Amino acid sequence: MGMQRKGGISWCDATWGVLVGCTKVSAGCRNCWAEKAARLHYNASFPTGWDGTVQMFPDRLMEPNHYKKARRIAVGLMGDIFHTSVPRHFLDQLWATMGCCDSPDLRHLTFQILTKRPAEMLSYAKSRESSGMVFNLPNLWLGVSCENQATADERIPLLLQAPAAVRWVSAEPLLSGLILRDEWMHLGCRPTMDLPAGSGKLDWVIVGGESGPGARPMHPDWVRSIVKQCKSASIPVHVKQIHLNGKLSKNPTDWPEDLRVREFPEVRTGF
Ligand code: SF4
């Protein structure tokens, strides 16, 4: 369960299993697939599911160096790397590996970090920068998961204050309609209470319905609206999976034509 080809995830090429373990934080966590996978593959550590334990795998930290071709690598999807049980020295080791991948012979690797804990992410960014260490890497994309308006309103403004090459939102599992606010989509809007001047904007949006037993339904109109909002703001949007006739479908050729969108942000080369 270390470095893996992407499996069913359309937005990355590989996953980097540097840790396993988490704590549920919001409605989107209810049917956490990683918790089910952990009980299957790491039952000795998680016999009752998530209990706040996070198991880290330092021996996997150098695994990305094995990739010789361009890869988008999702980091730590079996948990949340900004969980409070993950010590700073482990994050520092992760950043060291990802920073090495900025060397001329490893520039083909891009790292995608997704969190539901952007406050902790921002605090790590600030503490690195205040100790003279680089947080913002040109090959690092930072994202937050948002399942509804409340979590988007809470998490996106924090994400947009963190420095990153690409800032993105994963609206999965999408549990309601979502308004992507103007100040998240465009630079130069007036600062708001929770979004100070100088914050960034969203560069990418992913949408997906819930998978697995007991999956909560996602209305196609919620997806349609997000696609439309992204198109009108010229922000790349990527529909990962939708519910079709009560079943999860990952095959865009089966979907309504206007939902068959799988875009990626433009990648800078030769940084
Ligand atoms: S944050 Fe992610 S990994 Fe952690 S419980 Fe929630 S869905 Fe699962």
Side-chain angles (χ1 to χ4, degrees):
M1 299 291 285
M3 214 78 197
Q4 302 240 313
R5 295 302 300 269
K6 64 178 179 175
I9 309 174
S10 58
W11 51 262
C12 66
D13 304 308
T15 58
W16 184 19
V18 288
L19 53 74
V20 56
C22 204
T23 307
K24 297 184 178 186
V25 286
S26 59
C29 299
R30 187 165 91 189
N31 296 321
C32 176
W33 67 269
E35 182 185 37
K36 293 188 184 93
R39 290 185 71 173
L40 200 63
H41 299 289
Y42 300 91
N43 187 260
S45 304
F46 303 98
T48 56
W50 291 160
D51 60 3
T53 306
V54 178
Q55 193 177 341
M56 281 147 277
F57 303 107
D59 55 315
R60 297 177 181 172
L61 282 167
M62 299 311 288
E63 285 180 348
N65 295 331
H66 301 149
Y67 281 118
K68 302 295 173 226
K69 291 190 177 157
R71 289 278 185 279
R72 293 182 205 101
I73 301 172
V75 185
L77 290 186
M78 293 276 291
D80 188 329
I81 71 156
F82 294 107
H83 190 282
T84 49
S85 296
V86 178
R88 184 187 156 136
H89 70 78
F90 189 76
L91 293 177
D92 288 347
Q93 286 175 299
L94 267 181
W95 252 254
T97 300
M98 296 188 298
C100 282
C101 291
D102 185 23
S103 69
D105 51 342
L106 288 171
R107 280 180 186 166
H108 52 282
L109 300 183
T110 297
F111 295 92
Q112 299 163 308
I113 289 180
L114 190 57
T115 184
K116 282 191 174 74
R117 294 167 172 85
E120 286 75 11
M121 177 174 75
L122 199 50
S123 141
Y124 178 64
K126 286 181 178 160
S127 86
R128 259 187 97 81
E129 288 177 342
S130 66
S131 22
M133 298 162 83
V134 175
F135 174 82
N136 186 10
L137 303 170
N139 55 337
L140 176 58
W141 299 4
L142 293 181
V144 289
S145 299
C146 304
E147 63 267 32
N148 53 28
Q149 195 68 50
T151 50
D153 287 347
E154 177 196 324
R155 293 170 189 160
I156 292 175
L158 292 167
L159 168 74
L160 297 183
Q161 292 172 58
V166 166
R167 298 179 186 87
W168 51 294
V169 164
S170 170
E172 184 197 354
L174 187 63
L175 302 177
S176 72
L178 200 54
I179 302 294
L180 296 165
R181 303 190 189 284
D182 276 351
E183 64 268 26
W184 304 340
M185 309 289 266
H186 303 278
L187 290 175
C189 293
R190 273 187 311 163
T192 60
M193 287 279 285
D194 53 2
L195 197 62
S199 301
K201 70 170 201 56
L202 289 177
D203 302 302
W204 192 29
V205 176
I206 294 171
V207 194
E210 193 164 46
S211 57
R216 292 159 283 181
M218 178 178 69
H219 198 291
D221 283 348
W222 302 343
V223 186
R224 199 160 272 126
S225 159
I226 289 177
V227 169
K228 214 167 148 192
Q229 293 176 67
C230 290
K231 293 271 174 210
S232 70
S234 302
I235 290 176
V237 57
H238 186 110
V239 183
K240 179 187 167 203
Q241 55 200 32
I242 66 168
H243 293 142
L244 210 58
N245 306 320
K247 284 193 181 153
L248 189 78
S249 167
K250 294 184 178 190
N251 185 356
T253 54
D254 295 337
W255 304 351
E257 205 172 328
D258 59 333
L259 303 186
R260 292 181 210 159
V261 196
R262 282 194 167 167
E263 297 169 338
F264 286 89
E266 234 173 76
V267 184
R268 284 179 292 159
T269 52
F271 44 69

